[in-house]
Amino acid sequence: MPEGLCPRTPATPRGRGRPARAARDHVWTAGAKVLGGLADLGVPRIHFGVGTGELLELMGSAGADVVGVDFRLPLSEAVPRIGPGKALQGNLDPAVLLADDASISEQVAKTLEAFDSPSGGHIFNLGHRISQFTSPGAVATLVNAVHMMSRQARLPVSGHKPRTPYPRQESRTTRANRHS
């Protein structure tokens, strides 16, 4: 797609174009401007919005390397909306953390298995609004399950070529300390 050209605006449920036009005219335009301004920094550019399942095509075309997917939309549905070549960030419902450890691990596995895409990768993400009643132990179970299952998924497979990660950027503090 030529630079600066917004894709077709998605249809709205009632067939009216006002919300979709607003998304195209304001959200896409502003997002593309910000993401374009970050292009030369060598850092991953992530575009995320809550409840934006119908806007993923626009978000995917705005210049991000990674498109965030709200937990309300299965990753398998997000991939065709976003298009090829984008990594996905998403998407476990935080209410899962109110369940027992076995259920948390099961839902982590389902989320990781749902990501079956030739796109640019996957960043596991927990949705917004973790309940104040969530046990820190449940969060630890989640983190441990993601780490364990992700490590298992990265085992070498015949013909698999690992991705090159983004270069690590120095923080301002590190640069300042190095030059002092």
Side-chain angles (χ1 to χ4, degrees), residues 142-158:
L142 170 80
V143 171
N144 291 334
V146 170
H147 286 177
M148 182 191 71
M149 293 175 201
S150 295
R151 274 190 219 107
Q152 290 172 349
R154 284 189 294 231
L155 291 174
V157 178
S158 177

Side-chain angles (χ1 to χ4, degrees), residues 54-132:
E54 297 304 317
L55 301 176
L56 290 176
E57 181 182 357
L58 290 173
M59 292 170 66
S61 69
D65 303 301
V66 181
V67 177
V69 179
D70 187 282
F71 70 86
R72 294 165 188 90
L73 181 72
L75 291 173
S76 59
E77 291 181 32
V79 171
R81 293 182 191 188
I82 293 168
K86 304 288 181 191
L88 300 184
Q89 176 181 324
N91 72 353
L92 183 69
D93 183 346
V96 167
L97 294 179
L98 298 174
D100 60 85
D101 289 355
S103 297
I104 293 170
S105 294
E106 180 183 326
Q107 291 303 311
V108 167
K110 285 182 179 180
T111 300
L112 293 172
E113 289 167 2
F115 180 75
D116 181 22
S117 168
S119 72
H122 177 227
I123 300 169
F124 187 93
N125 188 57
L126 181 64
H128 289 65
R129 298 185 182 98
I130 295 175
S131 168
Q132 63 182 345

Side-chain angles (χ1 to χ4, degrees), residues 3-25:
E3 187 175 322
L5 183 63
C6 179
R8 159 184 81 72
T9 303
T12 59
R14 295 183 183 173
R16 295 188 178 121
R18 183 176 291 153
R21 274 196 305 276
R24 180 196 62 220
D25 295 345

